[in-house]
Amino acid sequence: MAATNAILSPGAIPEAPAVKAPDAFQENLNIHLICPECREVPPNLTEDFAAGDTICASCGLVLGSRIVDTRSEWRTFANDDQGNDDPSRVGEAANPLLNGEQLETSISFKTGGAAARDLTRAQNKTINDKGQKSLMGAYKQIGAVCDAHHIQPAVCNTAKLNFKMVDDGKILKGKSNEAVIASCIFLACRQHGVPRSFREVHEMCNVSKKEIGRTFKMIEKFIAKKAAESNGLPPGKITLTPLTYLASKNIETNFRAGQSFNDEIGDEEGSGRAPQMSNRFCSKLGLEYPCPMVAEELAERVSHQGLLVGRSPLSVAAACIYMAAHLMGHPKSPKEVGLMCGVSDGTIRTSYKHLYEAREDLVLKEWITLRSGDMRRLPTA
């Protein structure tokens, strides 16, 4: 108080009062979380990190949710580390579609102007991994084709993995990338149960059907041979799917023994893939339920009875769609069906003639009673 009330001499400047610094944040330990039911002190609480809940161990009441797990995510044993596989949270997840460590830095020139463009060019000159560049270019082309034709992302990823398998095997040297990409997409569609015909893949990739078939056969032989070697079975007794390829990289195991490769991918000359194709073509024709289901079941019955043996799946699917559409009261002309399926109307009429003769065996009673079908609507062959 004496310093505050001191008399200043003329011309003296009073000192500013010292500002007290704010207290640092401290947790208030007087506040406790207790169970409102048990009211035990000290509280008997447990933290369930798997569910993210704080639970009263006495009565089971959940007192909090979405708690953060602060424990270590992995147990790291540096001395037992094999293959330099350190489970540290550093970098992104490994991509099985690429080679190498995948931790390089890429310089973009989109927003940096001339300086960024010069840096990008300088970086590209220092990168000597041409194989990685070719893989990335092929993946980009596969993605563009699949996006343009509304092919599912899962099929697109499988096509990329098929290309990776072929590229690692070095079996198609001299073949154009376009033909290999078209064959990989063709195979991926078969593996996911959404097959495309050679004609459709030809329209997507602008590669001749003959070249697609030739390249596809080479890939088929390579996959069958690699599967037999990796599992110790004779060729044709195991299927090497993309998941089995990942298994060879110690990523995931999914070997399926006792199934031939042709059973997995189908045969273009047979009618085994007609049911899957008929469902997709019905959607394009705008046929509503139950036409797609009836057409698919009809194609399965035709394939099981062997009525159209030797005809292409497109012809079988088109004839079944034509018959199912009339049976369900949503008739389509052979020209409309043929235009959507890529088959001539004469081929549809010829195939339909065989189906009409066997209509009593093909048409199920439930199609008539439960789905409002009528055989009198069928046009005479």
Side-chain angles (χ1 to χ4, degrees):
M1 294 297 293
T4 306
N5 299 329
I7 299 175
L8 300 176
S9 61
I13 301 175
E15 295 181 0
V19 180
K20 184 179 180 182
D23 296 335
F25 172 78
Q26 294 181 352
E27 184 178 0
N28 190 354
L29 301 180
N30 294 322
I31 300 177
H32 298 278
L33 177 64
I34 65 174
C35 177
E37 300 291 339
C38 303
R39 296 186 177 276
E40 295 180 350
V41 179
N44 184 17
L45 305 180
T46 59
E47 294 181 340
D48 184 3
F49 291 107
D53 297 333
T54 301
I55 305 173
C56 177
S58 300
C59 65
L61 182 65
V62 178
L63 304 180
S65 61
R66 297 184 180 181
I67 60 175
V68 178
D69 189 355
T70 58
R71 300 175 301 172
S72 175
E73 197 164 0
W74 287 288
R75 294 184 304 163
T76 303
F77 302 97
N79 295 333
D80 297 336
D81 182 22
Q82 298 180 359
N84 295 324
D85 185 17
D86 183 14
S88 301
R89 180 63 81 186
V90 177
E92 62 179 355
N95 188 351
L97 298 175
L98 300 177
N99 298 319
E101 296 296 331
Q102 307 172 19
L103 291 177
E104 68 272 3
T105 301
S106 300
I107 301 175
S108 175
F109 63 90
K110 293 182 179 180
T111 58
R117 184 172 62 252
D118 295 339
L119 283 175
T120 304
R121 291 176 179 175
Q123 184 194 32
N124 291 336
K125 291 180 180 179
T126 60
I127 297 177
N128 297 321
D129 191 359
K130 296 182 179 179
Q132 197 84 332
K133 287 185 178 180
S134 63
L135 278 178
M136 293 301 296
Y139 295 158
K140 185 177 181 180
Q141 189 172 350
I142 291 174
V145 172
C146 293
D147 290 343
H149 295 85
H150 308 290
I151 296 177
Q152 299 93 327
V155 180
C156 179
N157 293 334
T158 303
K160 294 177 182 178
L161 195 52
N162 289 338
F163 186 90
K164 179 71 165 53
M165 295 165 58
V166 174
D167 185 75
D168 290 345
K170 307 294 182 184
I171 62 167
L172 295 177
K173 288 185 176 180
K175 290 285 185 181
S176 65
N177 256 9
E178 288 74 14
V180 179
I181 288 172
S183 301
C184 291
I185 294 175
F186 177 82
L187 176 58
C189 292
R190 293 288 182 94
Q191 289 171 326
H192 283 268
V194 286
R196 262 66 175 177
S197 64
F198 283 134
R199 185 181 292 109
E200 290 178 292
V201 178
H202 158 68
E203 294 175 354
M204 286 191 290
C205 302
N206 198 21
V207 181
S208 66
K209 294 185 291 183
K210 186 176 182 180
E211 187 66 21
I212 296 174
R214 189 180 303 164
T215 308
F216 170 72
K217 288 298 181 182
M218 296 176 66
I219 297 176
E220 174 186 357
K221 292 180 181 179
F222 164 72
I223 292 180
K225 181 180 178 181
K226 190 173 180 64
E229 292 176 354
S230 59
N231 208 49
L233 292 176
K237 294 299 182 182
I238 187 172
T239 300
L240 183 66
T241 64
L243 291 180
T244 60
Y245 176 75
L246 293 178
S248 65
K249 301 294 183 181
N250 297 324
I251 298 177
E252 185 175 356
T253 304
N254 187 31
F255 286 101
R256 292 186 289 173
Q259 184 178 11
S260 67
F261 183 79
N262 288 331
D263 291 339
E264 173 69 19
I265 63 173
D267 184 8
E268 176 66 16
E269 298 302 328
S271 58
R273 294 296 171 177
Q276 293 89 337
M277 289 184 174
S278 62
N279 198 355
R280 180 162 51 88
F281 290 143
C282 284
S283 178
K284 290 184 177 181
L285 284 167
L287 295 174
E288 300 179 353
Y289 180 86
C291 283
M293 184 178 295
V294 172
E296 185 175 355
E297 293 178 357
L298 181 61
E300 291 177 354
R301 293 179 63 82
V302 169
S303 176
H304 180 71
Q305 297 184 16
L307 293 177
L308 298 177
V309 176
R311 297 186 180 273
S312 69
L314 292 176
S315 302
V316 177
C320 293
I321 292 172
Y322 178 72
M323 183 174 182
H326 283 82
L327 182 66
M328 295 293 111
H330 303 282
K332 296 288 183 181
S333 65
K335 188 175 182 180
E336 291 178 295
V337 178
L339 185 63
M340 192 59 63
C341 300
V343 182
S344 65
D345 51 352
T347 302
I348 295 178
R349 289 191 179 94
T350 304
S351 302
Y352 172 73
K353 185 183 299 183
H354 298 283
L355 302 184
Y356 184 77
E357 294 174 356
R359 61 187 183 279
E360 298 294 340
D361 297 330
L362 292 176
V363 177
L364 297 176
K365 293 183 178 179
E366 62 182 32
W367 297 350
I368 307 298
T369 57
L370 300 179
R371 299 177 183 174
S372 303
D374 192 352
M375 293 184 61
R376 293 174 295 182
R377 299 175 184 154
L378 295 176
T380 57

